[in-house]
Amino acid sequence: MSSATTLVALLHGPDQPGLVAKVAGWIFARGGNILHADQHRDMEAGVFFQRVEWISAAGPGQTDRERTEFTAFAASLGMQARVSDNSQRPRVVMLVSKADHCFHDLALRWQMGEFAGELVAVLSNHPDLAETARGYGLPYHVIPVTAATKAEAEARQLALLRELKADLVVLARYMQVLSADLLDAVGCPVINIHHSFLPAFAGGRPYHQAHARGVKLIGATAHYATRDLDEGPIIHQDVGRVTHRHGVEDLIRMGRDLEKRVLAQAVRWHLDSRVLAYGNKTVVFD
Amino acid sequence: MSSATTLVALLHGPDQPGLVAKVAGWIFARGGNILHADQHRDMEAGVFFQRVEWISAAGPGQTDRERTEFTAFAASLGMQARVSDNSQRPRVVMLVSKADHCFHDLALRWQMGEFAGELVAVLSNHPDLAETARGYGLPYHVIPVTAATKAEAEARQLALLRELKADLVVLARYMQVLSADLLDAVGCPVINIHHSFLPAFAGGRPYHQAHARGVKLIGATAHYATRDLDEGPIIHQDVGRVTHRHGVEDLIRMGRDLEKRVLAQAVRWHLDSRVLAYGNKTVVFD
Amino acid sequence: MSSATTLVALLHGPDQPGLVAKVAGWIFARGGNILHADQHRDMEAGVFFQRVEWISAAGPGQTDRERTEFTAFAASLGMQARVSDNSQRPRVVMLVSKADHCFHDLALRWQMGEFAGELVAVLSNHPDLAETARGYGLPYHVIPVTAATKAEAEARQLALLRELKADLVVLARYMQVLSADLLDAVGCPVINIHHSFLPAFAGGRPYHQAHARGVKLIGATAHYATRDLDEGPIIHQDVGRVTHRHGVEDLIRMGRDLEKRVLAQAVRWHLDSRVLAYGNKTVVFD
Amino acid sequence: MSSATTLVALLHGPDQPGLVAKVAGWIFARGGNILHADQHRDMEAGVFFQRVEWISAAGPGQTDRERTEFTAFAASLGMQARVSDNSQRPRVVMLVSKADHCFHDLALRWQMGEFAGELVAVLSNHPDLAETARGYGLPYHVIPVTAATKAEAEARQLALLRELKADLVVLARYMQVLSADLLDAVGCPVINIHHSFLPAFAGGRPYHQAHARGVKLIGATAHYATRDLDEGPIIHQDVGRVTHRHGVEDLIRMGRDLEKRVLAQAVRWHLDSRVLAYGNKTVVFD
């Protein structure tokens, strides 16, 4: 089975009878063998969602036609489809600032082979992590951002992301807000980690907000970045228990562990084609 | 859709290409509409598992033929199938002794409508909970068990369970071990709650064992009862955190909460036809 | 030790050197033996908090003088103290509406002996749970509340709570907002359970809000009720994991389990004199 | 307060009245100010445990006498005491083999300043992580171990640990069993991470055991290493949820995260003088 190519399709569209059978039949008719298929119906909205993973009869690197045909077939059923080929690993660019815990965590997981993608570069608004990135064998690009130069800096970022052919951008505690224009233009998903259990404590300094409110749980939220800051579709969340004994510094330390785990899980699911965003929500086929 | 009848099939057998498509095609050809389908492959064992839920074109109470035909169809693919009709609610008998926390918990959840089945009777080796059962409107049967009378008592239990047409037996902290003979003869699944995170602390007085060992987590395990005591397929487990401050009494109190939740979840999943036992394990399609 | 009387003091005030030694010395000098002592310093605010539990040399029912003297001693150190005697069990009144899950849960835990207090009565704005309360042997009082009669109804509630000598009021999914006037006048703490992880989804229909936002965790929060709705000091919080598969009805069902556990834990801690509220936060000596 | 020296004492011995007052009085009489004090009574065993942390009136580096006197004072009360001075950071040696996840995790946390100690060296039976250690600025020592050379290798290990003046040895997935002789001779605590929720799945290949048993939770356990393999006092444990979808490889991946967190927390607590081992258990003053 070493020469097998696996395709994964993420589909969604208006619900109608027979969709599961039609999709399975289409794949079977082309000699494919379904490994996994998972579907969800949003009963209120009348929307059908499916993730289907199959071994293609096409050889490695020969699946372009099958992918195009599947997308057309899905469209004939009124559905949008995104089909990926596991032999073509997505290209990921990580954006960082000075905090390095998510950066190290993702880089080490990449070394371990935990992700179905390639970490092709690190982009930062600060030079601080350049040497560390080099230690991981990762190209490191610095584009400083100031209020005055933001538009220009974003133009450079955009050019670089295009040049790098990024399929996914990961904001690993990148401390600049990406403009709506950049998000519109970037042409690939952007995953952000927010250090609170959104929608609580949106905005800045969430651990300080949490400490001031006296909550007994702190959290972290990985979500797709959208033009509405901290409002994008949530991919994953987790929390940890705190007590009155924990000061803001403890919350920040404990939060680092949450941020690492939550962001890594969201990136893993995304790269495994397990996340389908629609409206302001996600369906995660875990 | 109020007159719709939903069927759920749990299937397993040797893996082969095209199973998903064949099952979906069979259902579609009979006018059924698949609501959910979830499958799993045990790669090492080469076994295919599937849960598929569909709206049948047959009217309510008219699905016997479709169920029989589906089972035969599955057999033709080398698979065993169990098909249930959601208009026929399984009959559940709860076995209790003196401890009443799981008993109250399950009875109240039944009142709330949390389970897809009927709680038809309570059977005990003690009279203590008779009045409480009456308060819930539940028939209560007492069959005392002693070492000397065990065989005779089990014969009476078996006769009663058959008379009650039990589809599921729930051991809600029932303190007698069911003999292998009874388990062989009962003809329906038996779910037990064990008050430890099995396989740790199998056998008696697990909270005392846990306290003596100084563990930092206590647990509870819901499993199908088999002739190998505490060795049956695990359906669900959960744990709670303990410290040196907790004595055995605290562990017992905290354990009650774990036992309630874990047993209720296992019973819910079983009644929703989400649990497929094979060998010494379960596949839970949650 | 069966005739021993245990006292618990909760203290707080401006931090200064020697407080632990002074308190311990005061108790030792009167023949008391400290069982537990736990203290906390809020470094930013410069506030000292302590919970100290000791066996008094005074006989049962003879501790009034020691309690008064301790309070005066604490005041001499600039601290406020609340001292309770474990032989005098606090009187608790539960307020309910129609939802009965927290009501059953608390009543059953009381039967089990899980709480260091007496559940003396249930007060409701509806007659629905009257018979159930009677089954638990609990007096049940109905005071209907409408927009038009709210002031008058609250006057009756207040009179009843005074007559019952309530030491604690528990809002067990009581669906009316208590007015600031009532909260000011009631003279004892009021614990409420909110069905979200506050501050997220404050206000009404939090499960609907959570579902609409697509969060991956739902929560429950037990807090002291204050005139600022949903803003009182948080005592305990917990969360559960949800997925896209869970509709609003599932969130409500899963939320019931969270609400029961979180409220019961908060009530247990309060009755064990483990919760010290200051400002908008709590210190929980667990 | 920058010149303040903080002392922490861990005490235990037979319970008797007045211990809290006597300890607090002793400290106060020497001009010390108690920051935190936490005590525990094991009612069954009649043992008193305390952790007390105070600001000493002695200047930095001048606390030797106070520490000696406190230990003598504790002995006069029948108690054993261990007193540490926070200006003297414990020296930690990490033992590793080839797996690097705990190694990276601990090294990065050290860089972050999360631990109250110095990581002075890494010792391995393999050369594989030498360069990585160098990247962290950590001395790396290789002492190969084979069945034939075990005794000789342990003699070299022991000599090295003495030369390094190790106050704590951390087995960060070190794959050789330390002999009882070495553990007796090493003269400082040894913390090990076991990749299961002990006592379940003691011994080798615990993830394979867990997969074969079909458990729904996997765990990790940090404990002090003793001559009874996998039987030493447990410091910390945590678990993660698994399903039938997870193969052994997934369990290993998920387990890495558990191992990292559990070991790091145990090391942090130990270095903060929060862990008191007695018999086969620990008291963790968290």
Side-chain angles (χ1 to χ4, degrees):
Chain A
M1 210 200 267
S2 58
S3 66
T5 305
T6 303
L7 297 180
V8 180
L10 286 171
L11 299 147
H12 72 285
D15 195 18
Q16 53 174 289
L19 288 176
V20 174
K22 285 171 188 166
V23 170
W26 191 93
I27 292 167
F28 189 54
R30 265 145 203 85
N33 188 23
I34 292 176
L35 291 174
H36 304 285
D38 194 359
Q39 48 278 329
H40 170 63
R41 279 184 166 72
D42 183 325
M43 298 297 192
E44 293 160 39
V47 181
F48 173 90
F49 302 89
Q50 189 177 38
R51 178 185 187 274
V52 57
E53 182 174 346
W54 71 96
I55 299 176
S56 168
Q62 311 282 314
T63 60
D64 284 1
R65 185 166 157 197
E66 188 168 352
R67 293 163 69 193
T68 307
E69 288 179 356
F70 186 90
T71 306
F73 159 70
S76 77
L77 298 172
M79 293 194 290
Q80 286 181 269
R82 197 171 76 223
V83 191
S84 56
D85 174 335
N86 80 334
S87 65
Q88 295 167 18
R89 292 164 63 85
R91 298 170 61 82
V92 183
V93 177
M94 204 196 305
L95 266 64
V96 300
S97 291
K98 293 182 175 177
D100 63 359
H101 54 287
C102 285
F103 165 68
H104 279 297
D105 185 71
L106 292 174
L108 286 167
R109 290 178 192 276
W110 242 289
Q111 284 190 350
M112 276 285 189
E114 288 192 10
F115 294 115
E118 299 299 331
L119 181 52
V120 295
V122 179
L123 168 55
S124 181
N125 55 334
H126 292 289
D128 304 50
L129 301 177
E131 193 182 349
T132 314
R134 214 170 300 132
Y136 288 115
L138 292 168
Y140 190 85
H141 305 268
V142 180
I143 300 178
V145 181
T146 64
T149 65
K150 178 137 185 165
E152 182 203 349
E154 287 204 337
R156 290 179 59 200
Q157 289 175 332
L158 195 56
L160 181 63
L161 291 171
R162 282 176 179 159
E163 187 188 317
L164 291 165
K165 294 189 176 63
D167 296 305
L168 174 68
V169 171
V170 177
L171 307 181
R173 297 299 310 277
Y174 180 67
M175 300 304 280
Q176 294 285 330
V177 174
L178 301 188
S179 73
D181 285 351
L182 177 64
L183 288 168
D184 284 347
V186 70
C188 74
V190 176
I191 295 179
N192 184 44
I193 180 73
H194 191 275
H195 37 319
S196 83
F197 46 83
L198 290 175
F201 309 128
R205 295 167 65 86
Y207 295 124
H208 291 77
Q209 291 185 55
H211 189 252
R213 180 62 187 90
V215 291
K216 302 300 186 184
L217 298 169
I218 57 165
T221 303
H223 63 96
Y224 289 115
T226 60
R227 28 168 79 228
D228 302 307
L229 194 64
D230 299 338
E231 295 286 329
I234 293 171
I235 305 169
H236 189 44
Q237 299 187 289
D238 207 351
V239 295
R241 194 160 290 284
V242 296
T243 75
H244 59 273
R245 287 188 189 84
H246 297 105
V248 170
E249 292 306 310
D250 298 302
L251 269 52
I252 290 172
R253 173 179 59 75
M254 296 165 71
R256 285 198 297 262
D257 275 13
L258 287 170
E259 295 161 31
K260 289 189 293 187
R261 276 152 54 193
V262 168
L263 180 58
Q265 181 67 279
V267 170
R268 181 182 302 111
W269 277 335
H270 178 90
L271 292 174
D272 286 342
S273 296
R274 297 188 176 280
V275 190
L276 204 162
Y278 78 110
N280 201 35
K281 295 185 182 185
T282 61
V283 170
V284 179
F285 296 105
D286 64 334
Chain B
M1 214 199 266
S2 59
S3 66
T5 305
T6 303
L7 296 180
V8 180
L10 286 171
L11 300 147
H12 72 286
D15 194 18
Q16 53 175 289
L19 288 176
V20 174
K22 286 171 188 167
V23 170
W26 190 94
I27 291 167
F28 188 54
R30 266 147 202 82
N33 186 24
I34 293 177
L35 290 175
H36 303 286
D38 194 0
Q39 48 279 328
H40 170 63
R41 278 182 167 74
D42 184 326
M43 298 296 193
E44 294 161 38
V47 182
F48 174 89
F49 302 89
Q50 189 177 38
R51 179 186 186 273
V52 56
E53 183 174 343
W54 70 96
I55 299 176
S56 168
Q62 312 283 313
T63 60
D64 284 3
R65 187 168 156 195
E66 187 168 352
R67 293 165 68 193
T68 307
E69 287 178 356
F70 186 91
T71 307
F73 159 71
S76 76
L77 297 171
M79 292 194 291
Q80 285 181 271
R82 198 170 77 222
V83 192
S84 56
D85 174 334
N86 80 335
S87 65
Q88 295 167 20
R89 291 163 64 84
R91 298 169 60 83
V92 182
V93 177
M94 203 196 306
L95 266 65
V96 300
S97 290
K98 293 181 174 177
D100 64 358
H101 55 285
C102 286
F103 164 68
H104 279 296
D105 185 70
L106 291 174
L108 287 167
R109 290 178 191 274
W110 244 287
Q111 284 190 350
M112 277 285 190
E114 288 192 10
F115 295 115
E118 298 299 331
L119 181 52
V120 295
V122 179
L123 169 54
S124 181
N125 55 334
H126 292 290
D128 305 49
L129 300 178
E131 193 181 350
T132 312
R134 214 170 300 132
Y136 287 116
L138 292 169
Y140 190 85
H141 306 268
V142 180
I143 300 179
V145 181
T146 66
T149 65
K150 176 132 186 172
E152 184 203 348
E154 287 205 337
R156 290 179 60 199
Q157 289 174 333
L158 194 57
L160 182 63
L161 291 171
R162 283 176 177 159
E163 188 189 316
L164 290 166
K165 295 189 175 63
D167 296 306
L168 175 68
V169 171
V170 177
L171 307 181
R173 295 301 309 276
Y174 180 68
M175 300 304 279
Q176 295 284 328
V177 174
L178 301 188
S179 73
D181 285 351
L182 178 64
L183 288 169
D184 284 348
V186 71
C188 74
V190 177
I191 295 178
N192 184 44
I193 179 73
H194 191 277
H195 37 320
S196 83
F197 46 82
L198 290 175
F201 310 128
R205 295 167 64 85
Y207 294 124
H208 291 76
Q209 290 185 57
H211 189 251
R213 180 60 187 91
V215 290
K216 303 299 187 184
L217 298 169
I218 57 165
T221 304
H223 63 96
Y224 289 115
T226 61
R227 23 167 83 228
D228 301 306
L229 193 64
D230 299 339
E231 294 287 329
I234 293 170
I235 305 168
H236 189 44
Q237 300 186 288
D238 207 352
V239 294
R241 195 161 290 283
V242 297
T243 74
H244 59 273
R245 287 188 189 86
H246 296 105
V248 170
E249 292 307 310
D250 297 303
L251 269 51
I252 291 172
R253 173 179 59 75
M254 296 165 73
R256 286 198 298 262
D257 275 13
L258 287 170
E259 295 162 29
K260 289 189 294 189
R261 274 152 53 192
V262 168
L263 180 57
Q265 180 68 281
V267 170
R268 180 182 301 114
W269 277 335
H270 178 90
L271 292 174
D272 287 342
S273 294
R274 297 189 176 280
V275 190
L276 205 163
Y278 78 112
N280 201 36
K281 295 185 182 185
T282 61
V283 170
V284 179
F285 296 105
D286 64 333
Chain C
M1 212 198 271
S2 59
S3 65
T5 304
T6 303
L7 296 180
V8 180
L10 287 171
L11 300 148
H12 73 286
D15 195 16
Q16 52 173 291
L19 288 176
V20 175
K22 285 172 188 165
V23 170
W26 191 94
I27 292 167
F28 187 55
R30 266 148 203 81
N33 188 24
I34 292 176
L35 292 174
H36 304 286
D38 194 358
Q39 49 278 329
H40 170 62
R41 279 183 166 71
D42 185 324
M43 297 297 192
E44 293 161 39
V47 181
F48 174 89
F49 302 90
Q50 189 177 36
R51 179 186 187 273
V52 57
E53 184 175 344
W54 72 96
I55 299 178
S56 168
Q62 312 282 314
T63 59
D64 284 3
R65 187 168 155 194
E66 186 168 353
R67 294 163 68 194
T68 306
E69 288 179 356
F70 186 91
T71 307
F73 159 70
S76 76
L77 298 172
M79 293 194 290
Q80 285 182 271
R82 198 170 76 224
V83 191
S84 55
D85 173 335
N86 80 334
S87 65
Q88 295 168 18
R89 290 164 64 84
R91 298 170 61 82
V92 182
V93 177
M94 204 195 305
L95 265 65
V96 301
S97 290
K98 293 181 175 178
D100 64 358
H101 54 286
C102 285
F103 165 67
H104 279 298
D105 185 71
L106 291 175
L108 287 166
R109 289 178 193 273
W110 243 287
Q111 285 190 350
M112 277 284 189
E114 287 193 10
F115 294 115
E118 299 300 330
L119 182 51
V120 295
V122 179
L123 169 55
S124 181
N125 54 334
H126 293 289
D128 305 50
L129 300 177
E131 193 180 349
T132 313
R134 212 170 300 133
Y136 288 114
L138 292 168
Y140 190 85
H141 305 268
V142 180
I143 300 179
V145 181
T146 65
T149 65
K150 179 135 184 167
E152 182 201 350
E154 287 205 335
R156 290 180 57 199
Q157 290 175 332
L158 195 56
L160 182 63
L161 291 171
R162 284 176 177 161
E163 187 188 318
L164 291 166
K165 294 189 176 61
D167 296 306
L168 175 68
V169 171
V170 177
L171 306 181
R173 296 299 311 274
Y174 179 69
M175 301 304 279
Q176 295 285 329
V177 174
L178 301 188
S179 73
D181 286 349
L182 177 64
L183 289 168
D184 285 347
V186 70
C188 73
V190 176
I191 295 179
N192 183 44
I193 180 74
H194 191 274
H195 37 320
S196 84
F197 46 82
L198 288 175
F201 310 130
R205 295 166 65 86
Y207 295 124
H208 291 77
Q209 291 185 55
H211 190 251
R213 179 62 187 90
V215 289
K216 302 299 187 185
L217 297 169
I218 57 165
T221 304
H223 63 96
Y224 289 114
T226 59
R227 26 168 80 227
D228 301 306
L229 195 62
D230 299 339
E231 295 286 330
I234 293 171
I235 305 169
H236 189 44
Q237 301 188 286
D238 207 352
V239 294
R241 194 161 291 285
V242 297
T243 75
H244 60 273
R245 289 187 188 86
H246 296 106
V248 170
E249 292 306 310
D250 297 303
L251 268 51
I252 290 172
R253 173 179 58 75
M254 296 166 72
R256 286 198 297 263
D257 276 14
L258 287 171
E259 295 161 30
K260 289 189 292 189
R261 274 153 54 194
V262 168
L263 180 58
Q265 180 67 281
V267 170
R268 180 182 302 110
W269 277 335
H270 178 90
L271 291 175
D272 287 341
S273 296
R274 295 188 179 281
V275 191
L276 205 163
Y278 77 111
N280 201 36
K281 296 185 180 185
T282 61
V283 170
V284 179
F285 295 104
D286 64 332
Chain D
M1 212 200 266
S2 59
S3 65
T5 305
T6 302
L7 297 180
V8 181
L10 287 171
L11 300 148
H12 73 286
D15 195 16
Q16 52 174 291
L19 288 176
V20 174
K22 286 171 188 166
V23 170
W26 191 93
I27 292 167
F28 188 54
R30 266 146 202 81
N33 187 24
I34 293 177
L35 291 174
H36 304 286
D38 195 0
Q39 48 279 328
H40 170 62
R41 278 182 166 74
D42 184 325
M43 297 297 193
E44 295 161 38
V47 182
F48 173 90
F49 302 89
Q50 189 177 36
R51 179 187 188 273
V52 57
E53 183 174 346
W54 70 96
I55 299 177
S56 168
Q62 312 283 315
T63 60
D64 283 2
R65 187 168 155 195
E66 186 168 354
R67 293 163 69 193
T68 306
E69 288 179 355
F70 186 90
T71 306
F73 160 71
S76 75
L77 298 171
M79 294 195 290
Q80 286 181 269
R82 199 170 75 223
V83 192
S84 55
D85 173 335
N86 80 335
S87 65
Q88 295 167 20
R89 291 163 65 85
R91 298 169 61 82
V92 183
V93 177
M94 205 196 304
L95 266 64
V96 300
S97 290
K98 292 182 175 177
D100 64 358
H101 54 287
C102 285
F103 165 67
H104 279 298
D105 185 69
L106 291 174
L108 287 166
R109 290 179 193 274
W110 243 288
Q111 285 190 349
M112 275 286 189
E114 288 192 10
F115 295 115
E118 297 301 329
L119 182 51
V120 294
V122 179
L123 168 56
S124 181
N125 55 333
H126 292 289
D128 304 50
L129 301 178
E131 193 181 350
T132 313
R134 214 169 300 133
Y136 288 115
L138 292 168
Y140 189 85
H141 306 268
V142 181
I143 300 180
V145 182
T146 66
T149 65
K150 177 133 184 170
E152 183 203 346
E154 287 204 337
R156 290 180 58 200
Q157 290 175 333
L158 195 56
L160 182 63
L161 291 171
R162 284 176 178 160
E163 189 188 318
L164 291 166
K165 295 189 174 61
D167 296 305
L168 175 68
V169 171
V170 177
L171 306 181
R173 296 301 309 276
Y174 179 68
M175 300 305 278
Q176 295 285 328
V177 174
L178 301 188
S179 74
D181 285 349
L182 177 63
L183 289 168
D184 285 348
V186 71
C188 73
V190 176
I191 296 178
N192 183 43
I193 179 74
H194 191 275
H195 37 320
S196 83
F197 46 82
L198 290 175
F201 310 129
R205 294 167 64 86
Y207 295 124
H208 292 78
Q209 291 185 55
H211 190 251
R213 180 60 187 92
V215 290
K216 303 300 186 186
L217 297 169
I218 56 165
T221 303
H223 63 95
Y224 289 114
T226 59
R227 25 168 81 226
D228 302 306
L229 195 63
D230 299 340
E231 295 286 329
I234 293 171
I235 305 169
H236 189 45
Q237 300 188 287
D238 207 352
V239 295
R241 194 161 290 284
V242 296
T243 76
H244 59 275
R245 287 187 190 86
H246 296 105
V248 170
E249 292 306 310
D250 297 303
L251 269 52
I252 291 172
R253 173 179 57 76
M254 297 166 70
R256 285 198 298 261
D257 276 12
L258 287 170
E259 294 161 30
K260 289 188 293 188
R261 274 153 53 194
V262 169
L263 180 58
Q265 180 67 281
V267 170
R268 180 182 302 112
W269 277 335
H270 178 90
L271 292 175
D272 287 341
S273 296
R274 296 188 177 280
V275 191
L276 204 163
Y278 78 111
N280 200 36
K281 295 185 181 184
T282 61
V283 170
V284 179
F285 296 104
D286 65 333

